[in-house]
Amino acid sequence: MGIHGEPGKSKTQWMENYKLCQTLLDSLKAQYGTGDVVVMVNSLGNVTGLEMTLIVNDVLKIMKGQEGVNVLRVVSGTLMSSLDMNGISITVLKLNP
C-alpha cells in the first residue's frame, strides 16, 4: 500500500517479521544485486520503536546472509509517514564503486 492508500504490489496474509522482511528483500534483490549498499527501514507512522528494532535486526540478518552484499549503513525511523499508518517500507540504495 502506498502512503496515500494506493494499491500495493500484492496482498498477502499475516506473516512473522522475519518472513515479511525476507519477502520484501527477495522482491528487491534483483535491483541491488551485490556490492556495497545503504538500507533504509521506514515506519509509516505507527510502528513502535521495539517493532522497528526487531525489523531492522531481521533485515540485517537476511542481508548479511546474502553473498556479496555489504551493508555499510542502516537508517531507520519514521522518515516518511502517513497519519499513523501501521506498516514499513524498505529501501536499498546500491552504492557505486
Side-chain angles (χ1 to χ4, degrees), residues 32-51:
Y32 66 84
T34 60
D36 294 337
V37 298
V38 173
V39 179
M40 181 177 76
V41 182
N42 176 54
S43 163
L44 294 176
N46 198 29
V47 181
T48 69
L50 177 59
E51 290 169 323

Side-chain angles (χ1 to χ4, degrees), residues 4-56:
H4 301 293
E6 304 92 346
K9 178 182 171 184
S10 63
K11 191 172 187 175
T12 64
Q13 297 296 320
W14 180 91
M15 59 182 79
E16 294 179 358
N17 283 343
Y18 189 88
K19 177 68 176 160
L20 173 63
C21 294
Q22 182 73 60
T23 300
L24 293 172
L25 289 169
D26 284 349
S27 70
L28 297 172
K29 180 69 171 124
Q31 299 299 313
Y32 66 84
T34 60
D36 294 337
V37 298
V38 173
V39 179
M40 181 177 76
V41 182
N42 176 54
S43 163
L44 294 176
N46 198 29
V47 181
T48 69
L50 177 59
E51 290 169 323
M52 284 296 288
T53 299
L54 295 171
I55 291 164
V56 169

Side-chain angles (χ1 to χ4, degrees), residues 25-26 34 40 57-60 62 68 70 81 83 85:
L25 289 169
D26 284 349
T34 60
M40 181 177 76
N57 185 49
D58 286 342
V59 167
L60 287 175
I62 293 163
N70 183 28
S81 67
L83 295 173
M85 184 189 294

